[in-house]
Amino acid sequence: NSNTPLFMHEMLYPVAQGIDSDVIAKIYGSCDLEVGGTDQTFNLLMGRKVMEISGTEPQAVLSFELLVGTDGKEKMSKSLDNYIGITDAPNDMFGKIMSLPDSLLASYLELCTFTSMDEVKRIIADLAANKAHPKEVKMGLAKQIVEIYHGKTPAEDAERAFVETFQKGVVPQDIEVIEIDKGTLLVDALL
């Protein structure tokens, strides 16, 4: 429809993924459900077709909305360097969440926390009516996500560190100190 070329690998990839789904089902005796992002729905459905052709009971398919990365544009991806890793240190995770565009708040509350959908709707309505400030919502979001992966105390510590560093301008205690000899050229010190 868009008059763009369709390449052979684009046609074969869904078939290869479908064969993979069928083989996995045969290795493990069955496969009731295959899960993926909405960008993979066609490929997941191809697995059902390949299973049907090969005589295997087709699996159900469940696809989830993709999480947009910290750039606010592309899906979250390590290769695009727009990701928040679940193994990131609490302070780093908190800071990355605080740097998210405000437009992603609803999506992150929905996809990354245990906040009920009713509460998400209320928060978004409050933001739209200027009854809530995006920074405060982000602070709560960051604390929730850090708590999920690191626990309550590290989440509280990360929140405190963020407030002290970025709101109060306090120099972080864990900042790296590098000593240089007197008379060193500035360019050498920077390097």
Side-chain angles (χ1 to χ4, degrees), residues 58-70:
Q59 64 200 0
V61 168
L62 178 63
S63 54
F64 289 96
E65 180 183 335
L66 295 176
L67 188 61
V68 175
T70 55

Side-chain angles (χ1 to χ4, degrees), residues 141-152:
L141 173 67
K143 190 173 180 182
Q144 281 187 70
I145 292 173
V146 172
E147 186 173 336
I148 289 169
Y149 294 103
H150 296 285
K152 186 173 182 143

Side-chain angles (χ1 to χ4, degrees), residues 28-104:
Y28 292 102
S30 74
C31 183
D32 298 328
L33 176 67
E34 188 167 7
V35 178
T38 52
D39 61 332
Q40 294 293 314
T41 303
F42 179 79
N43 298 340
L44 298 171
L45 292 172
M46 184 58 71
R48 287 179 53 84
K49 194 60 160 169
V50 170
M51 293 169 114
E52 194 177 284
I53 291 168
S54 75
T56 307
E57 185 177 344
Q59 64 200 0
V61 168
L62 178 63
S63 54
F64 289 96
E65 180 183 335
L66 295 176
L67 188 61
V68 175
T70 55
D71 59 3
K73 298 173 187 163
E74 301 285 337
K75 69 180 179 179
M76 187 178 285
S77 167
K78 196 169 188 176
S79 61
L80 294 174
D81 196 29
N82 69 350
Y83 71 102
I84 302 168
I86 61 173
T87 58
D88 281 350
N91 288 359
D92 294 340
M93 185 180 282
F94 198 98
K96 286 179 180 180
I97 295 164
M98 291 302 294
S99 72
L100 292 173
D102 295 347
S103 61
L104 296 180

